[in-house]
Amino acid sequence: MFLKKLLRYGSVFYKSKQCSVKHNFVRSIQISTERYEENKKDTKALVHKDSFENIENKNKNTYLEMVKIFINRDHVYRRGHVEFIYSALKNMEEFGVHKDLEVYKSLIDVLPKGKFVPTNIIQAEFMHYPKQQQCIIDLLEQMEDNGVMPDIEMEPLLLNIFGNRGFPVRRYWRMMYWMPKFKNLSPWPVPDPLPKDTFDLAKYAIERISSVDVNSVVTVYQSEDIPESIDKTWIVSAQSKSQRMLLGQHKLKDPIYVEGPFTIWIKGNPINYFILRGEPKPVIEEDKDPDDVSNLKVSLFSLKPPVAKHVKVIPSVHEQEDGVIFSVCATGTSSKDSLLSWIRHLEKDGFPNLGQVPVVFMLKSSTKEIINLDMDNTKEKIEKETGKIDDK
Amino acid sequence: MFILNRNVGSFICRNCSKRAFHTSPILTTFWERDDKGGYRDESKLPQLKDRLREGLKELKHEVGLWSEELKERFENDPILTYRPGEVDVQWQFGTEDSLKKWLVTSDSDNNEGFSKSSLTLTKEGKGLFSGNLDMRIPKDGRVKRAGYCNMKTLRVRKSFKREAHIDWTAYNMLVMRVRGDGRSYLLNIHAKGYYDLTWNDMYHYVLFTRGGPYWQVARIPFSKFYFGSKGRIQDRQVSVPLDRVASFGITAGERYGGDFHLEIDYIGVEFDPNHREEFAYEMYRTAKGIASV
């Protein structure tokens, strides 16, 4: 009984002799005093839970400073690399460095060189230091997800850390093989990083839509130029030569429609656009057998050669099945008033008869604003008003 | 005594094999248990009586199919020339029946995300694959990433529900008439084989859509498709085995959340004699045991 009590409280007695009993609930039996000393100075925490969150000024410099602090903390026995890298990876986006190659390289550089290189065949085959290797594989995957291509400097770095049979090195080789192949695959490339301004994005969007016709011309109108306009904003409009011809041929009594907003995505940014559409042209399908010789006309008395009536003009790309598209536009406010200014601008721009054509506004759910992208990627609220608005 | 010992032994072994906690994902064997990768529908089958009735109902149709197959075999009239520039339409939308050939899934079906999708017909009678991609990750500690919607054709079958393959060896182009929303989509050719090693063989390529009111005809050579398995590009690349096509699919898996909208008129194949490329990706010799590990 006494022995039990002594075992349970002995250490407390021992400690209380040295200093005030503060930490006696941590462990009831202390084998040595060393452990107790360790608890007192809690600077070598293995997991850096809040170190990145607590920084007020979050930018690339403070991020790199954190990495430097970690490296300089202990020269001889640096510990907790994996935990540090994982917590650093988690906080990348807040610091705005998730697309920065230099930062990724500095994170890999945290690991010691030579220590994790396998020295025999068994180690090489069975993933020597698996947690460390997996950590760097996850880092490379995060790079891939953010579209960051590694460079040639990363190879010796990884080779020095994991040796030439390390799995992160293989992943690096794979990335260097595939990423350049896929990088410029898109037929509609946009600059990287993408401009934050909605006007530039709208311009890219309209250029992309009108790339269907090489003769398309993208014009930027200002609604201020129309005296009776309410919304003062920009209008990006596209029209090609054949579209101008089609609009010129349009009959005055037939209505034309302003439809929208539809969405086009420019690398994750939704842009609203509107179309100016006429009724679809009727498709006349002549089901005639060209090899049929039963009804041949013999031109005995007329010297003129017969005019082939079945030769038709090939419809342009703008004559779609669901309508003839006269023009496409995106405006700064996507409001009805700005669209009205667009029509007025087209009227001034070579179609004086457009004022006599009934223009029907078919706005599905007109949004007040194209999505604004702030620096923090916070999307502003989009006011929505639903309903179909018809207007002369 | 002997019997007792054996019982005790088996008891111990049973307890040993079931370790309660694993600190890392376990890999017991290389063997694949399930061709659905654990996503099999576990709901109870109807009663045997009902199943028999259902099966007999289908018998008539299956015998019809089988006799057609036999007739075709005896007629033995294969297509000998594939005229260049002619698109052989494989899947066209327009009727409600055309939608029944497709299977639409998204991550929310397996409680692994919140994306939603559907395949419907538009006013003009085209197929519309639309929905919402949601990047949110369910907080179950298991799912690391989310946000995909997928449509794929049902497995090609012969009569009596025997699994079959489409033979596209005479063609070298995939032709699609689509109208997208500016997003890019992933095209998947599933070349499922007999052995478990080949169950997840998939060939991918990207479909870039222009966006806007205009239809586009995307012509993608089969030589551009790259080989992947379970979503990972494989090291040893091969071109699509066009005689082993089990199904075709389109995935909306862009890493940007939001609505997506893809109208499809038809999906076809074409023979283009001017396209000579067999495989677009060059291969390099690596040291032993480096690649495909």
Side-chain angles (χ1 to χ4, degrees), chain A residues 212-232:
Chain A
V212 74
D213 190 338
V214 283
N215 287 320
S216 291
V217 181
V218 178
T219 346
V220 180
Y221 300 119
Q222 300 296 333
S223 58
E224 286 154 334
D225 301 344
I226 304 293
E228 53 265 40
S229 69
I230 307 162
D231 288 3
K232 306 295 177 210

Side-chain angles (χ1 to χ4, degrees), chain B residues 226-293:
Chain B
Y226 55 85
F227 176 38
S229 179
K230 294 188 178 179
R232 296 275 176 198
I233 303 183
Q234 297 301 299
D235 283 348
R236 299 235 162 89
Q237 287 289 321
V238 279
S239 56
V240 195
L242 287 169
D243 56 337
R244 274 208 299 138
V245 178
S247 66
F248 176 79
I250 301 168
T251 307
E254 245 192 359
R255 304 312 298 161
Y256 308 109
D259 293 337
F260 69 94
H261 188 276
L262 178 71
E263 278 176 75
I264 308 164
D265 186 0
Y266 62 77
I267 297 159
V269 282
E270 185 194 324
F271 168 59
D272 182 1
N274 294 323
H275 184 78
R276 300 284 176 83
E277 189 181 57
E278 280 171 10
F279 194 50
Y281 308 104
E282 80 283 10
M283 289 285 103
Y284 300 104
R285 186 171 293 151
T286 53
K288 209 177 156 193
I290 286 286
S292 283
V293 176

Side-chain angles (χ1 to χ4, degrees), chain B residues 41-109:
Chain B
D41 186 12
E42 295 293 345
S43 55
K44 255 189 174 177
L45 285 171
Q47 282 191 339
L48 182 69
K49 206 170 65 184
D50 299 334
R51 267 187 283 161
L52 275 175
R53 199 177 290 139
E54 286 293 313
L56 283 173
K57 243 186 241 170
E58 293 201 15
L59 192 64
K60 196 183 162 190
H61 176 67
E62 296 299 324
V63 170
L65 273 180
W66 178 64
S67 56
E68 284 286 310
E69 278 165 21
L70 273 186
K71 249 186 245 170
E72 213 166 90
R73 181 156 181 187
F74 282 112
E75 274 169 8
N76 197 8
D77 185 19
I79 306 170
L80 293 175
T81 51
Y82 289 85
R83 289 192 284 185
E86 216 169 62
V87 179
D88 272 348
V89 173
Q90 301 287 316
W91 296 282
Q92 182 148 31
F93 292 93
T95 57
E96 286 292 330
D97 272 353
S98 63
L99 300 182
K100 285 181 187 159
K101 294 174 186 167
W102 294 86
L103 194 71
V104 182
T105 50
S106 51
D107 53 11
S108 61
D109 296 343

Side-chain angles (χ1 to χ4, degrees), chain B:
Chain B
M1 193 62 207
F2 175 71
I3 293 167
L4 186 78
N5 262 346
R6 209 174 62 180
N7 278 344
V8 166
S10 72
F11 175 73
I12 290 167
C13 274
R14 208 162 55 231
N15 271 349
C16 286
S17 63
K18 284 184 185 171
R19 270 180 61 188
F21 292 104
H22 294 283
T23 49
S24 57
I26 51 158
L27 182 66
T28 46
T29 44
F30 297 103
W31 170 57
E32 294 261 353
R33 184 186 295 276
D34 184 8
D35 63 340
K36 293 251 182 202
Y39 291 98
R40 192 168 284 285
D41 186 12
E42 295 293 345
S43 55
K44 255 189 174 177
L45 285 171
Q47 282 191 339
L48 182 69
K49 206 170 65 184
D50 299 334
R51 267 187 283 161
L52 275 175
R53 199 177 290 139
E54 286 293 313
L56 283 173
K57 243 186 241 170
E58 293 201 15
L59 192 64
K60 196 183 162 190
H61 176 67
E62 296 299 324
V63 170
L65 273 180
W66 178 64
S67 56
E68 284 286 310
E69 278 165 21
L70 273 186
K71 249 186 245 170
E72 213 166 90
R73 181 156 181 187
F74 282 112
E75 274 169 8
N76 197 8
D77 185 19
I79 306 170
L80 293 175
T81 51
Y82 289 85
R83 289 192 284 185
E86 216 169 62
V87 179
D88 272 348
V89 173
Q90 301 287 316
W91 296 282
Q92 182 148 31
F93 292 93
T95 57
E96 286 292 330
D97 272 353
S98 63
L99 300 182
K100 285 181 187 159
K101 294 174 186 167
W102 294 86
L103 194 71
V104 182
T105 50
S106 51
D107 53 11
S108 61
D109 296 343
N110 297 311
N111 294 328
E112 292 183 344
F114 303 97
S115 307
K116 289 264 168 11
S117 61
S118 65
L119 182 65
T120 47
L121 285 180
T122 60
K123 225 171 33 196
E124 291 92 30
K126 312 288 187 212
L128 170 63
F129 178 44
S130 66
N132 183 280
L133 279 177
D134 204 326
M135 295 292 117
R136 278 182 298 150
I137 301 162
K139 288 171 182 162
D140 59 355
R142 190 172 55 91
V143 180
K144 263 171 86 180
R145 53 176 67 203
Y148 77 86
C149 299
N150 187 49
M151 62 185 269
K152 79 180 266 266
T153 59
L154 296 178
R155 178 69 202 260
V156 196
R157 287 181 194 280
K158 289 191 282 189
S159 58
F160 300 109
K161 312 277 180 193
R162 289 170 296 163
E163 290 185 342
H165 291 102
I166 319 176
D167 190 359
W168 281 347
T169 37
Y171 308 98
N172 59 5
M173 288 272 176
L174 182 77
V175 185
M176 297 173 77
R177 187 158 183 267
V178 292
R179 179 157 68 172
D181 56 352
R183 280 179 181 273
S184 45
Y185 298 84
L186 198 68
L187 305 174
N188 314 312
I189 295 175
H190 192 182
K192 189 181 170 185
Y194 178 81
Y195 296 104
D196 59 353
L197 202 71
T198 57
W199 280 351
N200 296 301
D201 281 11
M202 197 80 100
Y203 295 82
H204 310 277
Y205 200 68
V206 200
L207 167 72
F208 290 100
T209 59
R210 183 192 292 113
Y214 301 105
W215 284 90
Q216 75 182 82
V217 178
R219 294 173 82 251
I220 299 166
F222 286 125
S223 61
K224 298 258 184 204
F225 279 78
Y226 55 85
F227 176 38
S229 179
K230 294 188 178 179
R232 296 275 176 198
I233 303 183
Q234 297 301 299
D235 283 348
R236 299 235 162 89
Q237 287 289 321
V238 279
S239 56
V240 195
L242 287 169
D243 56 337
R244 274 208 299 138
V245 178
S247 66
F248 176 79
I250 301 168
T251 307
E254 245 192 359
R255 304 312 298 161
Y256 308 109
D259 293 337
F260 69 94
H261 188 276
L262 178 71
E263 278 176 75
I264 308 164
D265 186 0
Y266 62 77
I267 297 159
V269 282
E270 185 194 324
F271 168 59
D272 182 1
N274 294 323
H275 184 78
R276 300 284 176 83
E277 189 181 57
E278 280 171 10
F279 194 50
Y281 308 104
E282 80 283 10
M283 289 285 103
Y284 300 104
R285 186 171 293 151
T286 53
K288 209 177 156 193
I290 286 286
S292 283
V293 176

Side-chain angles (χ1 to χ4, degrees), chain A residues 364-376:
Chain A
K364 278 191 299 192
S365 60
S366 72
T367 47
K368 275 270 167 63
E369 229 172 329
I370 305 175
I371 280 178
N372 259 332
L373 283 175
D374 281 353
M375 292 298 280
D376 310 328

